[in-house]
Structure formats: C-alpha cells, structure tokens
Amino acid sequence: MNLHALHLFHVIATTGSITRASELLKISQPAISGYPQLICRSFSNSWSAKFKQQYEEVEMMINTTNSNDALKQFLNLEVDLAIYGGFPEKYPDIIQSE
C-alpha cells in the first residue's frame, strides 16, 4: 500500500463521498474510485494472514459492504465486528466516536 492511496482513502472517508473527495483533490472521480477497494483488499489480506498465523483455530470471514449495511448487520448480530465509515452524528444513540 502506498501513501498516495492511503491519502486518497482518508480524504474519501473524511468527506464521505468519492465525488466530494475528487472535487477537493482536483482529481477526476474515475481516477480515485478504485482506491477504497484496493486499500481494503490490501489491509484485509495482510491483517488476516497475520491473524490466522496467530489464531489458527478461529474461523474468520471478511466481507466488504457499504457502511449502512455493515451497521445493520452488526445491530442484527449477523457479524461480530463492523467498521463503519459514515458520520457518527447520523446515529448518535448507537455509534460512539472519539
């Protein structure tokens, strides 16, 4: 993973939109639209490999979905962990942020 890709991912997450991120960075939307998936794949592959080496007996599945579906799956106890990239003020009674 390179720093440019990580920076693009951060701006997308901060603005909450690829369109807003592309406008802010003055980069075309198609030029950055593939970076979130690239970052997620890169992170999940390296992280999951290390995790599986340490905890061979644990069964793990990593799924990628949008933030709203991730939150719904977590609230419905369909998953044990969800990484939510939205704005916490949208769900003030559910999501705590630091």
Side-chain angles (χ1 to χ4, degrees), residues 49-85:
K50 289 176 186 174
F51 184 88
K52 285 302 281 181
Q53 283 178 340
Q54 189 169 355
Y55 304 99
E56 294 177 12
E57 71 283 357
V58 175
E59 183 179 332
M60 177 176 50
M61 287 180 30
I62 298 174
N63 297 318
T64 304
T65 186
N66 64 53
S67 293
N68 287 329
D69 285 347
L71 181 60
K72 286 178 191 173
Q73 290 173 6
F74 183 72
L75 293 174
N76 291 330
L77 305 176
E78 298 168 17
V79 298
D80 296 315
L81 172 71
I83 298 174
Y84 183 81

Side-chain angles (χ1 to χ4, degrees), residues 20-39:
R20 283 185 264 169
S22 68
E23 291 168 353
L24 180 68
L25 296 169
K26 297 180 181 11
I27 299 173
S28 71
Q29 185 175 346
I32 64 171
S33 63
Y35 279 97
Q37 294 85 5
L38 176 70
I39 298 283

Side-chain angles (χ1 to χ4, degrees), residues 1-2 10 14 16 28 30-31 39 41 43 47 49 54 72-73:
M1 178 185 328
N2 64 46
H10 172 65
T14 302
S28 71
I39 298 283
R41 262 186 265 121
F43 172 75
W47 179 83
Q54 189 169 355
K72 286 178 191 173
Q73 290 173 6

